[in-house]
């Protein structure tokens, strides 16, 4: 079996959709056509291109004195607030401060959704979310969260080892895992434990008292000592967004690692000592194996058999090590492989993948008539994903979303008896419009999917069989059965022969300004597409 040999089959829309769906969020027909014309190699080159970072989130509400409007001194409407004070309003007006922080948080969350929605042919946003799920850091302050995510986005295509160093002293992470409370008089092991167990080598099996395959409890203690002395300032401080090293709170002297790290000694090195211990951790081959498994689960399949370990994980991990922990070459190798293109329809879409595959496939985007409308619409879709238990910035725990680490269910976690009906209803509402009820609050979604445009972009859409097959190809990426076509035709033209659709759609094309004909055709298309989005075929990729 070729495994990591470069895919040598035909490069068609089917293969292009598979790659773009896994490597980014959703895909438009235009991007698919572009990829087909580029070919596999050039598509990957563009996916991994270093693009300019996006402009920061904006203030999307008007200043006012009523209805909870934000009197934010940091920005005018349509400007960014990230250069303002971390805690706004100097007069300690708690109500005003909370209003401002609430709108900034919503602005950040909506903006984050828009980055995924508006990304073109780029893997950066998918990798940014990967690192967000890997280096989980929950805080609640929008400024800290923005700069934490900006760190992940900036380094998303880069070096795993260097990102680990930067995240170790990131103010958001220092607060989240008690790093700023890690003192020589009272070492705190929260971060050192997660650094080993979740971020770098993984725990492995217990093989003795306090001894695991990849580290020991004594390593957790010694690494905690290495990291003592790093602090954060209060949120009202002008330097709240930076960390600093306080030498008198640092544990001095040598730190001795266990046999799991070849009894290495980390010599006293002040504010550079954290880099030394991370370099030592990354000398373990298990670091490359661990991150390669995580990337495989994220992009390919949750099942890592002994065969996959031998033929995929181990050789890719070697590429990671040979590139000093730059991940791009190994990931390109994986995404270009025969193995990747054999692993189709085995991944249940995450809520974000579900929403964005629906909106992008159906040419649905946030309204751009104003910043306010754009951000409010994006925030509703962000909330919908959160309601389906994938809330960016708000992981359930430090291990991330269960779909990517908790066997045997893995991706099936997204479709339990509680979540599946919600997924289906949200898919329907995206097409037909209606109310999304989230946390007992109604959010109205207008019917913005341009179903008439989608149909007119399909050649010979007056034939219901061609129309349905082409929609299936775009939404499901493979042919559906004859019985499914018959069932879907019954949604489009209930109990009627094919020619009834042909006549009605042809009449619409000839008389597009006739409201009665247009509304009838539009309603039929909305019903058809909404049902297709609720089919199991749309829930997987």
């Amino acid at each position: 079996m070729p495994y990591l040999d470069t895919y040598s089959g035909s490069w068609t829309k089917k293969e292009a959709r598979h790659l773009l769906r896994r490597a980014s969020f959703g895909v438009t027909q235009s991007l698919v056509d572009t990829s087909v014309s580029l070919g596999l190699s050039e598509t990957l080159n563009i996916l991994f291109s270093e693009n300019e970072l996006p402009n920061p989130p904006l203030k999307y509400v008007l200043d006012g004195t009523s209805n909870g409007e934000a009197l934010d001194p940091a920005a005018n409407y349509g400007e960014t607030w990230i250069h303002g004070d971390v805690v706004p309003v100097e007069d300690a007006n708690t109500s005003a401060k909370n209003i401002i922080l609430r709108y900034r948080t919503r602005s950040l969350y909506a903006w984050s959704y828009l980055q995924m929605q508006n990304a073109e042919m780029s893997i950066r946003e998918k990798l940014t979310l990967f690192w967000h799920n890997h280096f989980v850091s929950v805080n609640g302050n929008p400024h800290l969260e923005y700069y934490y995510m900006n760190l992940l986005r900036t380094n998303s295509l880069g070096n795993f080892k260097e990102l680990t160093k930067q995240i170790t002293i990131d103010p958001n992470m220092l607060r989240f895992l008690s790093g700023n409370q890690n003192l020589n008089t009272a070492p705190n092991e929260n971060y050192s434990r997660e650094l080993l167990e979740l971020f770098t080598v993984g725990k492995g099996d217990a093989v003795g008292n306090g001894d695991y395959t990849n580290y020991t409890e004594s390593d957790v203690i010694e690494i905690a000592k290495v990291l003592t002395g790093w602090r954060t300032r209060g949120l009202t401080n002008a330097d709240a967004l930076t960390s600093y090293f306080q030498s008198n709170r640092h544990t001095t002297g040598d730190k001795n690692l266990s046999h799991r790290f070849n009894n290495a000694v980390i010599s006293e090195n002040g504010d550079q000592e954290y880099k030394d211990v991370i370099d030592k951790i990354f000398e373990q081959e298990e670091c490359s194996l661990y991150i390669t498994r995580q990337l495989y689960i994220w992009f390919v399949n949750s099942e890592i058999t002994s065969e996959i370990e031998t033929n995929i994980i181990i050789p890719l991990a070697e590429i990671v090590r040979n590139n000093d922990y730059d991940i791009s070459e190994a990931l390109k190798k994986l995404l270009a492989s025969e193995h990747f293109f054999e692993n189709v329809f085995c991944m249940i879409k995450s809520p974000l993948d579900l929403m964005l595959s629906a909106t992008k496939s159906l040419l649905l985007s946030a309204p751009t008539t104003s910043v306010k409308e754009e951000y409010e619409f994006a925030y509703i879709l962000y909330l919908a994903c959160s309601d389906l238990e994938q809330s960016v910035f708000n992981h359930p725990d430090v291990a991330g979303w269960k779909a990517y680490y908790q066997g045997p269910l893995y991706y099936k976690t997204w479709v339990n008896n509680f979540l599946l009906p919600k997924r289906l209803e949200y898919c329907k509402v995206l097409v037909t419009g209606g109310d999304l009820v989230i946390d007992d609050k109604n959010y109205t979604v207008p019917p913005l999917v341009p179903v008439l445009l989608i149909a007119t972009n399909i050649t010979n859409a007056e034939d219901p069989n061609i129309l349905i097959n082409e929609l299936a190809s775009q939404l499901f990426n493979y042919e559906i059965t004859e019985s499914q076509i018959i069932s879907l035709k019954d949604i489009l033209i209930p109990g009627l022969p094919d020619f009834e659709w042909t006549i009605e759609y042809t009449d619409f094309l000839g008389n597009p300004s006739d409201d009665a004909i247009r509304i009838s055709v539009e309603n039929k298309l909305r019903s058809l597409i909404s049902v297709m989005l609720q089919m199991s075929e749309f829930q997987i990729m």
Side-chain angles (χ1 to χ4, degrees):
M1 189 173 291
Y3 293 105
L4 289 175
D5 286 356
T6 300
Y7 175 73
S8 58
S10 299
W11 186 248
T12 69
K13 292 180 179 181
K14 179 179 178 180
E15 289 73 33
R17 284 196 186 98
H18 177 60
L19 174 60
L20 294 175
R21 281 173 176 157
R22 293 289 184 89
S24 58
F25 290 102
V27 57
T28 64
Q29 188 60 38
S30 175
L31 284 176
V32 172
D33 292 340
T34 298
S35 176
V36 170
S37 66
L38 289 171
L40 171 58
S41 178
E42 189 58 27
T43 297
L44 283 169
N45 286 339
I46 294 176
L47 279 168
F48 281 83
S49 295
E50 289 277 7
N51 302 319
E52 288 186 13
L53 290 173
N55 293 324
L58 304 175
K59 178 177 179 178
Y60 70 94
V61 294
L62 298 170
D63 283 333
T65 57
S66 62
N67 300 321
E69 295 162 316
L71 290 163
D72 191 343
N76 296 316
Y77 172 80
E79 297 176 348
T80 186
W81 45 265
I82 68 165
H83 304 303
D85 293 334
V86 176
V87 176
V89 187
E90 294 180 359
D91 62 4
N93 184 326
T94 301
S95 176
K97 179 188 70 176
N98 289 341
I99 289 173
I100 294 169
L101 288 175
R102 189 182 311 120
Y103 107 74
R104 286 181 181 176
T105 297
R106 291 178 178 176
S107 167
L108 173 63
Y109 292 2
W111 174 85
S112 297
Y113 187 91
L114 288 171
Q115 301 320 301
M116 293 178 272
Q117 171 73 53
N118 297 335
E120 290 295 318
M121 194 178 290
S122 174
I123 199 172
R124 184 174 66 193
E125 291 304 317
K126 202 63 171 278
L127 276 173
T128 298
L129 194 70
F130 167 80
W131 292 121
H132 177 47
N133 191 58
H134 186 78
F135 292 113
V136 171
S137 181
V138 178
N139 184 277
N141 179 276
H143 266 83
L144 289 169
E145 288 181 332
Y146 169 76
Y147 283 102
Y148 150 75
M149 192 66 90
N150 193 56
L151 173 63
L152 301 181
R153 182 173 282 109
T154 302
N155 292 277
S156 60
L157 292 165
N159 190 286
F160 174 35
K161 179 165 58 175
E162 292 306 310
L163 178 55
T164 303
K165 291 177 182 178
Q166 292 184 51
I167 206 74
T168 295
I169 60 170
D170 173 70
N172 205 61
M173 183 64 80
L174 285 171
R175 285 178 168 86
F176 177 55
L177 288 179
S178 311
N180 59 346
Q181 300 170 23
N182 186 16
L183 311 175
N184 52 2
T185 55
N188 187 298
E189 300 169 10
N190 278 2
Y191 184 78
S192 62
R193 184 173 301 280
E194 307 308 355
L195 176 64
L196 294 171
E197 182 175 343
L198 297 177
F199 299 165
T200 56
V201 292
K203 191 172 186 176
D205 298 325
V207 294
N209 186 22
D211 186 9
Y212 313 105
T213 308
N214 300 321
Y215 66 87
T216 70
E217 285 298 318
S218 67
D219 293 318
V220 174
I221 295 169
E222 292 297 294
I223 293 174
K225 293 177 183 177
V226 169
L227 301 175
T228 52
W230 282 97
R231 308 295 306 282
T232 58
R233 298 174 177 86
L235 295 181
T236 56
N237 192 288
D239 295 321
L241 296 173
T242 60
S243 57
Y244 68 102
F245 182 76
Q246 204 165 14
S247 58
N248 66 342
R249 294 176 181 262
H250 175 65
T251 303
T252 57
D254 293 344
K255 287 82 178 177
N256 301 293
L257 302 185
S258 74
H259 62 291
R260 296 298 179 192
F261 296 93
N262 301 314
N263 299 307
V265 176
I266 306 300
S267 300
E268 172 59 37
N269 199 14
D271 64 354
Q272 299 300 300
E273 204 171 310
Y274 77 98
K275 296 180 182 178
D276 297 339
V277 78
I278 289 172
D279 284 338
K280 184 57 62 177
I281 293 170
F282 273 77
E283 288 178 7
Q284 308 303 306
E285 287 190 7
E286 189 58 38
C287 270
S288 61
L289 293 165
Y290 184 75
I291 197 62
T292 301
R293 293 186 196 106
Q294 304 309 305
L295 289 166
Y296 183 86
I297 291 170
W298 188 263
F299 286 101
V300 185
N301 201 326
S302 61
E303 185 178 0
I304 299 179
T305 63
S306 58
E307 185 180 24
I308 297 301
E309 181 76 14
T310 299
N311 295 287
I312 301 289
I313 304 302
I314 291 175
L316 286 178
E318 183 178 5
I319 295 174
V320 171
R321 292 194 303 277
N322 290 342
N323 285 273
D324 196 28
Y325 284 93
D326 277 333
I327 65 162
S328 291
E329 289 307 312
L331 189 51
K332 282 183 183 178
K333 182 77 170 176
L334 176 62
L335 296 179
S337 68
E338 293 279 2
H339 178 76
F340 175 74
F341 288 98
E342 291 169 357
N343 276 264
V344 295
F345 319 125
C346 57
M347 182 183 292
I348 295 173
K349 293 176 182 175
S350 72
L352 279 165
D353 273 312
L354 180 71
M355 287 292 176
L356 288 160
S357 64
T359 57
K360 296 186 85 166
S361 297
L362 299 176
L363 307 178
L364 170 64
S365 59
T368 56
T369 50
S370 70
V371 173
K372 186 176 188 293
E373 286 190 354
E374 182 181 27
Y375 272 55
E376 286 182 344
F377 186 78
Y379 183 62
I380 291 173
L381 297 186
Y382 167 87
L383 288 177
C385 294
S386 298
D387 197 41
L388 296 174
E389 299 188 358
Q390 190 178 30
S391 183
V392 179
F393 295 106
N394 295 286
H395 286 86
D397 57 56
V398 69
W401 294 301
K402 292 179 180 179
Y404 303 107
Y405 74 87
Q406 191 172 88
L409 291 179
Y410 288 104
Y411 313 137
K412 294 177 183 177
T413 303
W414 300 126
V415 289
N416 58 40
N417 290 337
F418 173 71
L419 293 174
L420 182 57
K422 286 188 175 186
R423 286 171 69 100
L424 302 183
E425 178 62 19
Y426 288 176
C427 286
K428 174 179 179 292
V429 169
L430 282 178
V431 182
T432 63
D435 289 336
L436 297 181
V437 181
I438 303 171
D439 292 333
D440 297 323
K441 185 175 180 179
N442 282 0
Y443 297 89
T444 300
V445 176
L448 295 177
V449 173
V451 292
L452 295 173
L453 175 61
I454 292 169
T456 54
N457 285 338
I458 296 173
T459 303
N460 297 325
E462 66 274 11
D463 183 330
N465 300 284
I466 292 175
L467 171 68
I468 290 169
N469 270 310
E470 183 58 29
L471 286 172
S473 176
Q474 294 180 23
L475 297 174
F476 309 152
N477 204 27
Y478 63 98
E479 294 182 1
I480 55 177
T481 65
E482 185 62 32
S483 62
Q484 288 175 310
I485 293 173
I486 293 171
S487 296
L488 289 170
K489 278 197 292 187
D490 204 42
I491 302 296
L492 183 69
I493 42 173
L496 298 174
D498 291 2
F499 69 80
E500 292 290 349
W501 170 255
T502 303
I503 293 171
E504 185 171 11
Y505 188 71
T506 302
D507 283 347
F508 160 71
L509 293 178
N511 303 278
S513 59
D514 187 311
D515 287 345
I517 297 175
R518 177 183 55 78
I519 291 171
S520 176
V521 169
E522 183 174 350
N523 287 341
K524 287 180 170 64
L525 287 169
R526 288 198 188 282
S527 296
L528 170 66
I529 294 173
S530 69
V531 168
M532 294 182 77
L533 258 62
Q534 295 175 79
M535 292 170 63
S536 60
E537 286 80 359
F538 186 71
Q539 305 296 314
I540 59 177
M541 65 178 182

